[in-house]
Structures are given as C-alpha cells and as structure tokens.
C-alpha cells in the first residue's frame, strides 16, 4: 500500500532538520567518495601495470646466476610455461654528463624483441645495434640524454663510448630500483642501458647469459602459478642460482604494488570508518525522533497503521541520507580517481600507451551504493524497530515518558558528588541519562582520533626511521665505489679531499643466504672491526660491535626466513664465484632500510679467503662540508667509478616524509569533519530534548552563558570519553598499517610521538567545542515564552 | 446479547503487575455499546476509565474476559489483527491532539485516510468531507502550529472520522481546551453520533459533560458503579 502523505512527512522532517541531515549526508559522502576514489585509482593503476606486463611479456620468474642453460631447459619443459628467454646483465661503471655512477647493461636483440621482457619504445630506435644503445627513460631524464648524445661505459675491455639511439620504458624499471636491498636510487647514481648481445659481451667479458626469464601462460598463472613457480625456484636453486625472484618480488614491481596496495586498503578502510560514524549519528538522531514522536506513532498505531509501515517510515530517513550521500559522493570519487591515477602514472613515468584509466566502473558504483544503503539501513534499523514497539496507549500519554530520574552511577560510587553544586550534578546526570547516546558520541570522537592518529603516527614513524637510519646506522657521509681494490693509497687520497675527516674500505659482495629450504638474496658487507662508519643496534636498542666469529643479520630477514634465530647456522653463497660457506648468526640488528649481512673484514677473509678485496670506501666529513663539492672532488680521484652521498639519500627520504605531511593534513581535515558531524548531531538532539527545561531555567533567571556552559560542558565531557579509546585504537591501527607495509625492504617499527598524540587530541576536542556552536546559538535564540507554554516539538 | 450491540464486553479484567505490586485497573466489567449512542464514561483520576477505553479500542488487551467488536473477540487477536480491526472500525480522539506537526490539517487527515484507501479519486473527497464536517475546510492548508487548540482538536476529530468508523473513542477530548471551544468539539461529537450513527464514547472526569450523553457510565476503582440514561442535552447547553 502506498503512503504518499507519510512520504511527504518524511521530506518535511528532513527539511526541518536540514542541518543534521546535511551532516549525515556529508559524512556518508566523504566515506563513499574516498571509497570510489581509492577503489577506482587502485583498479586503474593495477590495470595499467597489468597492461604493461601483458604488452611487455613481463616475466613471472627472474633467475640470476648458476647454470642458466640447464635451468632454461628445465623451465621450457615445465607445463604451464609459455616462454623462456635468456639474457646477460652486467653492472659496469658509467659516466654521463660529467657524473660517474653505477649503471646496468642488459642485453637486448638487435632485431625484433625477445619472448620475455619486451621494451616499450618511447622515441628513436626500438633496438640497440653495435655501440648504439637504448636508454631506460629514467636515465634519459636524469642525465638529460636524447638520441645522438654519447656517454661512456667501462667494462672488461676498457671504456667504450656509446651513443643513445632510442629511449624506452620497461615494466622492470617503472620504479628504477637497482635491487631489493637498494630499493631507492638517488638521481644520477643508477641508470639502465639496453645494448645488443655483442656489446654486452664485450662489456662483461663473457658471452654467456647469466639470467633466465620465465613467462607462464595466463591460464597457468591463474590456476596454479604459485605451484609452478615454487617448483621452478627449487630447480633454479639446485642449478646454483644466486637469486630467484618472482614477479611479485621483482624490486620495481614489489615497491609499486606496496604503494598501490595502500589505495586498496583505503578503499575499504575509509568507507567503514565514515559510514560507521554516519551510522552512529543516524542512530542517535532517529532514536531521538522516535522518542519525540511517540504520541504520534501511538496515534498511528491506534488508528490501525501497520507496524511495518511505521518501521519503513523511519528506515527511509537513514536510507535517504545514505543514498543522497552516495549519489553525490560517487561521482566526486570517480573524478578524483581519474585525477589521482593520472598524476600517479605521470609520476612513475608510465608511458601513456600503457596507461589504463577507466572513467566509470559499474561494480565500484554498485558496491559504493551498497555500502551506503547497508550502512543507512543498519543504522536506522534499531530506531525503526523501536518505533514499532510504541504501543497505541502511548498516544494517550501525551509527552514522551521522562527518563533519567535517578542518581548517576558515579554519584553512587563517589557519594560526596551528591553534595556538589546542582549544576555539576545536572551535568553528571544528563550524561548518564542517555548512556547509549553518550557512548555513540564518544565512539564517534574515538573514530575521528583513530583516523588522525593512524596517519599522524606514520609521520612520527617515518621520522624515527630517518633518524635511526641516518643517525645511528649510517654514520658515514658518502661511499666511493672503485674499479680497483681500495688500499691505503686510495684511503689516503680520500682523506686528502678537503672536508673529509676519515675513510675506511669495505668489502661488499652479493650473497644468497640459505637456511632450511629457503633462500634469500642480499649482500654481505665487511667493515673494519672497530668501524666508525656504521652503527649496529640490536633489537633491544643496544649498540653492539661486530662479532669475531659470526655475522650480524638485519632482523627483517625473518620476513623471508621466519624460523631463523640467533645462534643458527646459515649458508652464504657468493653470487660472483659461487662459493658457499656456513656461518653463525651472532645477533640480529635493527635497521629500517633493507636486509643485509655484516661481518668484520678478518672474519670475512677467514671465511671466504683473501682473494676478495674491498672495492669501495666509506668516508666521513666535517659538519659544514659542502657535500656536492666533496662528491665532485672524490669522483676525480683515480679509480673512482661512482659516489653516493648519504646526505642526498637522507634528503630523498625527507622528501617522502614530506608527502606524508600532506596526507596527514588531509586526514586531519577528514577526521575533524567526522567528529563535527557526530557531535553536532548529538548536541542538537540533546538541546531539542531539553528545550523546555532549559527555557524554564532561563525563565527563572539563569544566565545564558551558564546554560551554555552546562550543555557545552556536558558534550565536551562525553567527547573526552572517546579520547582514550581513540588513542589506543589509533596506536593499534597505526601498528597494523605499518606491519602491512613492512617487508625485507623496509622495517617500519611504530614510533609513538607524544606530541602527535597531543596535537590530535587537542584538535579533536577543539572541533568538538566548535561543533557545539550552532546548538549553543539555538539556546541563545530560544523563545522562552513559547517553549514553556507549548509542548516541545 | 442485544442484536443492535456494536461492542460487548463480558467480565473484563485488567490487572497490572504481580504479587504485592498487583493493581486491578478493571474488575469484572460488563458493557454493551450501541450504534448512534453517545456514552460518557465518568470517573475520577485512577478509576480505570481510560483503561476501559483502551480495552474497548483494542489498544490494550484484557487480562481476562471477552471483548467482542464487530463479531470478533479482541482478546484472541494478535497485535497486527487488532490494528486491522481498529483500522476498519475505530476512530480515536486524544486529549493532546497528537497531530503531526509537519503535515497540514488536510494532510493529517489524509495520512489516516490512506490506510483505508481503496484507490480511485474518493480519497481526496473523503478528506475534504471530513474537514467540512468539522468546519475547517478553510484551514486545510494550515499547519498545527498555525491553528488554535480547538482547531487542532477538530482536525483530530476529522482524522478520526475520515474512515467512517463505527466506534469513536475520545479520551478527555476537551481536557486541553477552554469552555467555548470544548463545547464546540462536544457538539461535533454529538452530531457525529446522531447523524452518522457512530457509537461515541467520551471518557472524562468532568461531570458537566455527562449532561449531553445518551448514557452515562460511572466508573470507580475499576468497576462500573452506575449505568444510567443521560439527559441527552445539547452540547451547546453544557457548561462547566
């Protein structure tokens, strides 16, 4: 049966409480817009990556070192494998634009394209030929190189001048990450070049391929890809591979997937938070409405209106706010997703030809609407059911039954409070009069705090990470990489550079760490026993020294080798040379960036022999030294092929942290809006409910500011109830979020900054105070005569 | 049972609470109401008269006894069936009007008319006719806040009558009104009984109103202590 007049009542009820309704709509809108923006952005970016992987036949497995031909044969014979390609990869020093740096040369056919790991041409030639090479786009932009420009590569046969014949993009280097241990390379410290096989062989001094790339069929990837890859990994390890990486572990892809997974997390976290807040506010508002309309509901029931008709009437209020919020929020979110996706793909320089941005995804719209409708229905359900329980006899009773006429719990626990000034007792009893409403208001404040703190504590964690990494761990200011062994001669030359206060040679070798049946590729760095270039901090935060008879391993390795413990024996296999030795893990160390193995030089020599010399040196400088000048001077020294400034790395991390501040600022605004919406709604309900008693107090001569203090104080006290749970939830939420981002590449240990917690709490309480202003204004403008004469509406 | 009875209550009891807190609001009530009859139920506060009204109207369920309305025993019906009976047979007028503040006078009547609407154009005509009957057609588009107390009660009466109820139950319909306005409302109730053949029951503590009744029931301590013929005086002559 249709009830058009009841619907008209609904529309007018909404208009009468337009401010509260708008608060609900805005809260729903924010949640749904953020959902649509993050869900769409995530899907756009994932689709773009998938498109890049499909177009370029991005490998499912990257196998480095060992018996490549044997492994490739095994892989080709494996069911589910579509193609296997072999290539050579070498990391020679390069010099371009006056800068020396560590580069990477990858062999690429002079004609056609390989079956696995194709390139996307951006300009110029599509294939290298002779000394004409293709540049990966990031190197081209870093060094400002275009077709026709030249630079040098120093390999086994000496230095070769090469010419840029084309610029390409590769899915392998969308994020130009040298390795999993070195996820972020400073500009002008790393570059990728594609050369034909003969030039690559000349540079490396060998024509044997040292990498095998495996591509699965789409069907196999979907059905049992993990199983096939596990099988192939075992085979690769048996064939002596020094590193085996799946697509997910490939450095660039791994970093980018971590990044976009943040969008996926936001796509469900935000709507849950905001819709929960809207739900609380809707519940409070509707429950009050049902209470207020008890006599009318009773009259409807007395006149024979069905319970479900009454329930539907109140359910529609919550659904209306949800649907309006969703209808506005979805297009906003979709627009936002487009802009976000475009910016992100531009930032990582994904070629336009590979970008997939779908302006409209039907499933996102449906899910967004469903989120909103379900939330609206759930929030309105209890008040709607409450309405059906109003008996017709309630119509006889006139006003809603008065509640709360008893001592509060806290007065019974603390009896002296019963003799407190009446206005204090009024505040206490008002709070306990509507426990559910007070709880929901506090919960809303808690949720707003959760939102702010999760992002705010990520800032303090980032700062903590940077302080630890560049204050405790990296105690050097730079690393010079040589093409010759570093002896006292080189160290003296380094110390002779103006501003340099000390230099130490270090041995660095890529290794595979094997434990149980698992393997992890990283590097071992051997320092002087009493090194001052690197700090070692155990998991308890104590400074420790390098052991005499074992190695230190960063604790993050347990992400890959979960059962590894201090005292266990591990096998270290050098990637270059293939020698394996068994050593003891003397202790774990805590480091934020990367996963590494450390020893002193004597232990390294004892373990692996004296044939592996140090090829780099770490140096310290004076505090006021010009780091750029030092870099330029060091690069001029004989044998130096590249120089990495620690300070520049720190600056890069600080820039990343800077992005977090923008994010936190946005969360502060959103959290504030959420808290405002909830407190404004509950405050309005409180005032309407108590209009007559407030008017009576005014009529009796109580000052306006006293009244405002009573009502405002009560709401602020309720808001503070949400502070402690909100802080606890925020800390737990931040920890969970950081754990989800932690890996062998980053160890994100939560750092709780008391200042950030304090700022968040003060900000929320300020918003709580501000959100009461409309209600307090309503008290000020109350028509006392009218209210005390008539029943409150 | 008298063939003309619209409502028959037999040995009706209403007991609230248990043990020492037990209250017998109604004790063994026997009652018959006839169409077109205006009955005033008189009694002091706490006598059980409102409870009696609620039981007859199917708003509350008797603890024991039988209440038959339109051939159905209300004591055997569930809440939704009771609502159906009320929808098809009853109208209510309350002391505090219980108008929806966000609906106009016309809409307050219409929202109830829609409950029994069987489609077609008859709905609006019924609403208009109900407002005409209470002489408020010119206030149809006013909201309750723009109407006086008497006008609001007349809207409530129109709302109660729009479904052409067989039985109209009024709980202190003049309790919130001044003398002149109250008399006017009583006159409308009297006319409803006489012209439309509706059985009208008015519950009140104001004995002056009993003069307009066809029948007066005096209730005390949950029992009908007197069931007598009323003066049936014109409501215009009632004064208090």
């Amino acid at each position: 049966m249709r009830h058009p007049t009841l619907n008209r009542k609904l529309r007018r009820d909404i208009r009468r409480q337009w401010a509260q309704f708008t608060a609900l709509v805005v809260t729903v809108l924010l949640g749904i817009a953020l959902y649509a923006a993050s869900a769409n952005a995530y899907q756009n970016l994932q689709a773009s990556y998938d498109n890049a992987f499909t177009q370029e036949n991005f490998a499912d497995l990257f196998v480095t070192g060992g018996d490549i031909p044997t492994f490739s044969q095994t892989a080709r014979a494996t069911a589910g494998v579509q193609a296997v390609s072999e290539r050579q990869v070498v990391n020679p020093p390069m010099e371009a634009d006056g800068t020396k740096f560590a580069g990477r040369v990858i062999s690429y056919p002079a004609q056609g394209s390989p079956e696995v790991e194709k390139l996307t041409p951006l300009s110029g030639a599509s294939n290298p030929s002779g000394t004409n090479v293709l540049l990966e786009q990031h190197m081209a932009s870093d060094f400002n190189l275009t077709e026709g420009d030249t630079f040098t590569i120093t390999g086994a046969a000496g230095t070769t001048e090469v010419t840029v014949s084309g610029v390409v993009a590769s899915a392998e280097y969308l994020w130009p990450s040298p390795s999993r241990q070195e996820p972020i390379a400073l500009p002008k410290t790393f570059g990728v070049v594609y050369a034909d096989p003969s030039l690559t062989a000349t540079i490396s001094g060998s024509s044997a391929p040292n990498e095998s790339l495996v591509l699965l069929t789409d069907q196999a990837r979907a059905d049992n890809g993990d199983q096939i890859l596990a099988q192939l990994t075992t085979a690769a390890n048996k064939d002596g591979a020094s590193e085996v990486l799946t697509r997910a572990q490939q450095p660039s892809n791994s970093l980018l997937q971590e990044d976009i997974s943040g969008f996926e997390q936001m796509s469900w976290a935000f709507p849950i938070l905001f819709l929960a807040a809207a739900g609380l506010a809707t519940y409070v508002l509707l429950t009050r409405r049902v209470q207020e309309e008890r006599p009318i509901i009773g009259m409807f029931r007395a006149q024979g209106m069905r319970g479900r008709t009454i329930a539907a009437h109140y359910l529609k209020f919550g659904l209306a706010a949800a649907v309006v919020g969703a209808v506005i929020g979805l297009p906003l979110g979709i627009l936002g997703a487009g802009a976000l996706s475009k910016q992100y793909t531009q930032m990582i320089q994904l070629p336009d030809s590979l970008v997939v941005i779908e302006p409209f995804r039907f499933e996102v719209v449906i899910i967004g609407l469903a989120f909103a409708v379900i939330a609206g229905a759930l929030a309105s359900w209890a008040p709607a059911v409450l309405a059906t329980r109003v008996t017709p006899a309630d119509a006889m009773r006139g006003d809603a039954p008065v509640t709360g006429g008893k001592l509060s719990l806290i007065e019974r626990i603390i009896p002296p409070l019963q003799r407190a000034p009446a206005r204090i007792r009024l505040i206490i009893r008002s709070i306990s009069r509507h426990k559910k409403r007070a709880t929901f208001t506090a919960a809303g404040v808690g949720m707003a705090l959760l939102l702010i703190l999760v992002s705010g504590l990520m800032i303090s964690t980032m700062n903590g990470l940077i302080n630890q990494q560049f204050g405790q761990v990296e105690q050097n200011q730079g690393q010079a990489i040589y093409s010759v062994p570093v002896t006292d001669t080189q160290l003296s030359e380094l110390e002779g550079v103006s501003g340099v206060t000390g230099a130490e040679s270090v041995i660095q070798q890529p290794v595979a760490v094997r434990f149980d049946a698992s393997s992890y590729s990283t590097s071992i760095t051997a320092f002087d026993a009493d090194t001052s270039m690197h700090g070692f901090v155990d998991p308890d935060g104590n400074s420790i020294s390098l052991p005499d008879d074992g190695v230190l391993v960063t604790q993050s390795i347990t992400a890959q080798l979960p059962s590894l413990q201090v005292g266990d024996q591990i096998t270290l296999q050098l990637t270059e040379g293939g020698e394996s030795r068994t050593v003891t893990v003397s202790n774990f160390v805590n480091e934020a960036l990367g996963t590494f193995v450390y020893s002193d030089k004597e232990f390294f020599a004892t373990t692996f022999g004296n044939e592996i010399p140090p090829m780099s040196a770490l140096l310290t400088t004076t505090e006021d030294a010009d780091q750029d000048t030092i870099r330029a001077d060091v690069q001029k020294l004989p044998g130096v092929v590249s120089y990495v400034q620690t300070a520049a790395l720190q600056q890069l991390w600080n820039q990343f942290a800077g992005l977090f501040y923008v994010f936190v600022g946005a969360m502060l605004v959103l959290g504030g809006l959420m808290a405002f919406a909830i407190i404004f709604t509950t405050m309005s309900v409180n005032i309407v409910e108590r209009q007559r008693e407030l008017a009576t107090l005014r009529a009796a001569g109580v000052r306006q500011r006293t009244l405002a203090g009573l009502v405002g104080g009560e709401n602020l006290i309720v808001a503070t109830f949400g502070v402690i749970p909100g802080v606890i939830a925020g800390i737990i939420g931040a920890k969970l979020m950081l754990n989800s981002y932690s890996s062998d590449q980053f160890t994100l240990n939560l750092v709780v900054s008391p200042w950030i917690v304090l700022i968040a709490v003060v900000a929320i309480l300020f918003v709580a105070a501000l959100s009461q202003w409309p209600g307090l204004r309503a008290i000020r403008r109350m028509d006392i005569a009218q209210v005390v004469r008539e029943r409150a509406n | 049972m008298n063939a003309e009875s619209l409502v028959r209550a037999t040995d009706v009891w209403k007991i609230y609470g248990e043990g020492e807190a037990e209250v017998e609001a109604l004790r063994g009530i026997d009652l018959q109401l006839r169409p077109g009859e205006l009955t005033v139920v008189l009694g002091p506060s706490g006598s059980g008269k409102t409870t009696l009204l609620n039981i007859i109207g199917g708003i509350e369920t008797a603890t024991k006894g039988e209440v038959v309305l339109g051939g159905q025993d209300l004591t055997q019906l569930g809440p939704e069936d009771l609502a159906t009976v009320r929808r098809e047979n009853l109208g209510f007028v309350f002391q505090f009007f219980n108008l929806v503040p966000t609906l106009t006078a016309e809409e307050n009547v219409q929202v109830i008319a829609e409950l029994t609407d069987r489609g077609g154009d008859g709905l609006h005509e019924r609403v208009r006719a109900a407002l005409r009957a209470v002489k408020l057609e010119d206030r149809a588009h006013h909201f309750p806040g723009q109407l006086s107390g008497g006008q609001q009660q007349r809207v409530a009466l129109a709302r109660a009558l729009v479904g052409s109820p067989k039985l109209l139950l009024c709980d202190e319909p003049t309790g919130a009104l001044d003398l002149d306005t109250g008399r006017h409302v009583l006159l409308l109730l009297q006319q409803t009984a006489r012209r439309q053949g509706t059985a009208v029951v008015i519950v009140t503590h104001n004995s002056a109103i009993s003069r307009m009744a066809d029948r007066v029931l005096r209730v005390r301590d949950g029992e009908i202590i007197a069931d007598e013929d009323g003066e049936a005086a014109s409501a215009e002559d009632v004064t208090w």
Side-chain angles (χ1 to χ4, degrees):
Chain A
M1 179 176 279
R2 291 180 61 241
H3 299 281
T5 311
L6 263 187
N7 290 338
R8 202 176 301 171
K9 172 184 178 294
L10 174 65
R11 288 194 294 274
R12 289 186 193 155
D13 289 343
I14 289 172
R15 264 207 300 274
R16 204 162 61 123
Q17 289 189 299
W18 69 268
Q20 291 84 350
F21 188 78
T22 304
L24 297 181
V25 165
V26 166
T27 315
V28 171
L29 185 162
L30 285 173
I32 298 299
L34 287 168
Y35 159 73
S38 37
N40 259 340
Y42 169 71
Q43 293 195 44
N44 282 339
L45 293 172
Q46 191 62 63
S48 299
Y49 292 156
D50 289 344
N51 188 38
F53 296 162
T54 304
Q55 298 295 325
E56 296 185 6
N57 281 359
F58 191 63
D60 288 285
L61 200 68
F62 298 78
V63 175
T64 305
D67 187 349
I68 291 297
T70 304
F71 171 77
S72 297
Q73 199 176 2
T74 307
R76 286 190 183 97
T78 303
V81 171
Q82 178 177 320
V84 178
S85 288
E86 293 172 1
R87 66 184 186 185
Q88 217 181 15
V89 177
V90 61
N91 298 310
M94 300 182 187
E95 186 171 344
D97 192 28
T99 305
K100 294 180 181 175
F101 60 98
R104 180 165 295 169
V105 176
I106 300 177
S107 65
Y108 197 80
Q111 280 179 344
S113 51
E115 286 185 289
V116 190
E117 290 299 323
K118 298 178 183 177
L119 298 173
T120 301
L122 297 178
S123 66
S126 304
N127 292 83
S129 173
T131 56
N132 292 324
V133 298
L134 306 178
L135 285 196
E136 194 276 325
Q137 59 175 334
H138 292 91
M139 178 174 169
S141 59
D142 276 354
F143 291 98
N144 209 18
L145 293 168
T146 57
E147 290 93 83
D149 290 338
T150 59
F151 62 98
T152 60
I153 302 174
T154 302
T159 301
T160 307
E161 186 178 83
V162 295
T163 307
V164 179
S165 62
V167 178
V168 295
S170 168
E172 250 186 293
Y173 296 101
L174 288 176
W175 185 266
S177 181
S179 68
R180 282 189 72 83
Q181 280 62 49
E182 204 184 333
I184 294 169
L186 291 167
K188 292 193 175 185
T189 64
F190 178 70
V192 178
V193 175
Y194 295 91
D196 75 13
S198 69
L199 178 60
T200 312
T202 302
I203 291 167
S204 73
S206 158
S207 58
N210 59 356
E211 262 201 10
S212 181
L213 309 165
V214 181
L215 179 70
L216 301 182
T217 62
D218 290 343
Q219 191 67 48
R221 192 180 300 120
D223 291 345
N224 59 339
D226 287 345
Q227 211 177 320
I228 298 173
L229 293 177
Q231 191 185 326
L232 289 173
T233 301
T234 305
N237 283 329
K238 228 194 303 185
D239 289 333
S242 57
E243 182 176 74
V244 183
L245 295 176
T246 61
R247 180 185 281 193
Q249 293 168 328
Q250 193 272 335
S252 165
N253 186 34
S254 155
L255 268 173
L256 292 173
Q257 289 292 344
E258 282 275 358
D259 219 21
I260 69 167
S261 76
F263 286 117
E264 199 210 0
Q265 285 177 348
M266 285 198 289
S267 75
W268 54 262
F270 275 130
I272 288 176
L273 209 55
F274 280 89
L275 291 177
L280 290 179
T282 302
Y283 174 87
V284 165
L285 197 61
L286 260 186
T287 305
R288 171 56 204 160
R289 169 157 290 283
V290 166
Q291 284 291 99
E292 188 181 287
E293 293 189 350
R294 281 179 75 90
I296 292 169
I297 298 170
M299 178 276 294
F300 282 147
R301 291 295 266 157
Q303 296 286 168
M305 191 175 282
R306 288 189 178 92
R308 61 175 182 259
T309 306
I310 290 169
H313 176 64
Y314 291 97
L315 208 57
K316 281 177 194 172
F317 185 93
L319 287 173
V323 169
V324 171
V327 161
I328 302 172
L330 278 168
L332 285 177
I334 288 169
L335 280 172
L340 200 59
S341 307
K342 220 171 165 52
Q343 264 219 317
Y344 194 92
T345 53
Q346 276 172 3
M347 187 188 76
I348 63 171
Q349 293 178 254
L350 187 65
D352 288 343
S353 59
L354 297 175
V355 172
V356 174
I357 294 183
E358 268 186 51
F360 179 84
R361 283 192 173 83
F362 188 66
E363 69 273 17
V364 169
V365 171
I366 295 298
I367 292 172
L369 271 173
F371 257 141
V373 166
I374 290 170
L378 283 174
S380 315
W381 189 259
V385 166
L386 195 68
T388 63
R389 295 202 182 126
V390 173
T391 63
D394 282 320
M396 306 296 193
R397 294 197 191 105
D399 279 348
V402 176
T403 58
K406 58 180 181 183
L407 288 182
S408 65
L409 177 64
I410 194 166
E411 284 174 277
R412 281 179 264 147
I413 293 171
I414 310 173
L417 279 177
Q418 295 175 36
R419 290 184 294 280
R423 61 179 177 279
I424 303 294
R425 283 180 271 158
L426 182 62
I427 290 176
I428 295 170
R429 288 185 202 159
S430 295
I431 292 170
S432 61
R433 188 158 84 172
H434 291 288
K435 293 187 189 64
K436 254 193 210 156
R437 190 186 303 163
T439 305
F440 287 170
T441 305
V445 166
M447 282 194 297
L449 254 181
L450 164 70
L451 186 65
I452 294 170
L453 277 177
V454 165
S455 36
L457 290 178
M458 285 179 77
I459 287 253
S460 59
T461 299
M462 276 293 280
N463 288 337
L465 179 157
I466 292 168
N467 288 341
Q468 186 206 28
Q469 188 66 21
F470 299 101
Q472 285 184 297
V473 175
E474 299 283 359
Q475 292 174 0
N476 61 83
Q477 278 72 58
Q479 182 176 16
I481 297 156
Y482 284 80
S483 59
V484 297
V486 176
T487 63
D488 289 341
T489 308
Q490 283 73 29
L491 292 178
S492 301
E493 286 170 353
L494 278 172
E495 284 168 352
V497 171
S498 170
V500 172
T501 54
E504 282 179 29
S505 62
V506 287
I507 302 170
Q508 274 183 321
Q509 284 290 310
V511 292
V513 178
R514 300 198 201 285
F515 180 71
D516 282 349
S518 304
S519 175
Y520 180 75
S521 298
T522 177
S523 64
I524 181 168
T525 307
F527 298 87
D528 289 348
D530 58 350
T531 182
S532 58
M533 298 294 171
H534 193 106
F536 303 99
V537 180
D538 72 8
D540 295 326
N542 305 313
S543 282
I544 58 177
S545 305
L546 286 164
D548 297 332
D549 57 353
V551 296
L552 299 177
V553 183
T554 51
Q555 192 168 30
S556 49
I557 203 171
T558 53
Q560 305 295 320
L561 308 174
S563 51
L564 183 64
Q565 290 180 355
V566 172
D568 284 340
Q569 304 251 298
I570 55 176
T571 302
L572 299 178
Q573 182 191 2
L574 296 177
T575 303
E576 291 162 16
E579 291 155 57
S580 290
R581 298 285 186 272
T582 301
V583 298
T584 305
V585 176
S586 297
N587 212 335
F588 287 131
V589 288
N590 237 354
E591 291 187 6
L593 301 177
T595 299
F596 301 105
V597 181
Y598 300 115
S599 75
D600 71 21
K601 283 182 196 154
E602 242 185 78
F603 180 76
F604 185 90
T606 310
T607 306
F608 290 104
N610 290 318
E611 291 79 31
I612 301 171
M615 300 297 288
S616 62
L618 299 171
L619 53 89
T620 51
T621 68
T622 56
E623 258 190 57
D624 57 356
D626 184 324
Q627 297 297 328
D628 289 338
T629 305
I630 289 179
R631 183 182 65 196
D633 289 345
V634 166
Q635 284 201 326
K636 287 178 194 154
L637 294 176
V640 172
V641 297
S642 72
Y643 180 79
V644 178
Q645 254 183 31
T646 308
L649 202 56
Q650 185 174 2
Q651 203 177 8
L652 191 66
W653 277 101
N654 282 332
Q655 281 173 359
F656 289 142
L659 290 175
F660 265 111
Y661 280 104
V662 173
F663 184 67
V664 168
M667 291 304 109
L668 206 59
V669 169
L670 292 175
L673 279 172
M674 188 195 295
F676 188 100
I678 290 190
I679 296 171
F680 169 73
T681 305
T682 52
M683 171 81 164
S684 313
V685 163
N686 278 346
I687 288 173
V688 160
E689 188 171 80
R690 298 162 63 190
Q691 232 177 356
R692 218 176 321 160
E693 77 191 51
L694 295 174
T696 305
L697 290 172
R698 283 286 279 141
V702 174
R703 285 198 183 90
Q704 153 65 20
R705 64 170 183 265
T706 306
L707 272 188
L710 287 175
V711 177
E714 175 195 326
N715 282 293
L716 219 49
I717 290 171
V718 169
T720 55
F721 289 162
V723 164
I724 292 175
V727 167
I728 293 172
I731 291 173
I732 294 173
K735 194 159 175 60
L736 288 172
M737 183 119 174
L738 290 167
N739 281 349
S740 76
Y741 278 107
S742 287
S743 66
D744 58 323
Q745 291 169 299
F746 303 104
T747 304
L748 300 169
N749 292 319
L750 177 66
V751 173
V752 179
S753 161
W755 280 112
I756 287 187
V757 172
L758 186 64
I759 289 169
V761 168
V762 167
I764 283 298
L765 292 179
F766 174 74
V767 166
L770 199 66
S771 63
Q772 299 185 71
W773 179 74
L776 296 177
R777 202 172 69 136
I779 294 175
R780 196 166 48 242
R781 292 157 120 198
M782 193 166 48
D783 183 335
I784 303 168
Q786 186 178 359
V787 173
V788 297
R789 184 175 60 243
E790 295 176 7
R791 290 168 57 221
N793 263 324
Chain B
M1 173 175 133
N2 188 320
E4 289 184 2
S5 290
L6 178 65
V7 178
R8 178 175 55 94
T10 310
D11 191 29
V12 169
W13 290 72
K14 180 67 181 177
I15 300 168
Y16 296 104
E18 288 178 346
E20 283 187 17
E22 200 174 85
V23 172
E24 291 172 345
L26 294 179
R27 304 196 297 187
I29 298 288
D30 291 301
L31 171 67
Q32 288 182 41
L33 299 173
R34 289 175 285 274
E37 188 174 68
L38 194 153
T39 305
V40 169
V41 178
L42 208 56
S45 179
S47 60
K49 54 188 190 296
T50 298
T51 306
L52 175 60
L53 196 79
N54 291 350
I55 299 286
I56 292 170
I59 288 176
E60 287 187 78
T61 307
T63 309
K64 47 183 183 174
E66 193 182 61
V67 179
V68 178
L69 167 63
Q72 295 191 78
D73 183 0
L74 301 187
T75 60
Q76 302 302 313
L77 299 180
E80 286 307 314
D81 290 330
L82 283 172
T84 303
V85 168
R86 290 195 300 271
R87 194 161 60 240
E88 293 171 358
N89 296 283
L90 291 163
F92 285 89
V93 177
F94 304 101
Q95 180 178 3
F96 294 110
F97 328 139
N98 291 353
L99 298 181
V100 181
T102 51
L103 295 179
T104 62
E106 183 179 48
E107 289 162 350
N108 264 283
V109 178
Q110 187 172 321
V111 74
I112 300 303
E114 283 168 0
L115 296 180
T116 51
D117 181 34
R118 283 157 187 86
D121 295 330
L123 176 77
H124 291 291
E125 188 39 51
R126 283 165 55 208
V127 170
R128 286 269 153 186
L131 285 170
R132 245 190 330 266
V134 299
K135 296 186 174 57
L136 274 180
E137 217 179 344
D138 60 338
R139 289 279 194 270
H141 300 298
H142 285 65
F143 288 92
Q146 297 166 318
L147 301 173
S148 68
Q151 289 170 334
Q152 289 185 58
Q153 191 62 296
R154 281 150 63 193
V155 171
L157 180 56
R159 177 185 64 197
L161 294 176
V162 74
S164 302
K166 300 186 184 73
L167 177 62
L168 183 65
L169 301 174
C170 311
D171 186 14
E172 302 277 7
T174 61
L177 305 176
D178 60 73
L179 174 61
D180 282 340
T181 310
R183 270 209 294 240
H184 190 66
V185 168
L186 291 172
L187 183 63
L188 288 170
L189 290 171
Q190 195 174 52
Q191 287 169 349
T192 301
R194 287 179 181 164
R195 293 178 190 171
Q196 294 177 26
T198 305
V200 176
V201 178
I202 299 174
V203 157
T204 183
H205 65 278
N206 186 345
S207 56
I209 294 175
S210 64
R211 290 190 58 222
M212 62 176 267
D214 298 318
R215 183 166 160 222
V216 178
L217 299 175
R218 295 183 190 275
V219 176
R220 186 192 292 277
D221 295 331
E223 291 178 339
I224 297 177
I225 58 171
D227 182 350
E228 49 208 32
D229 291 335
E231 288 180 46
S234 168
E236 287 168 326
D237 298 331
V238 168
T239 186
W240 61 85

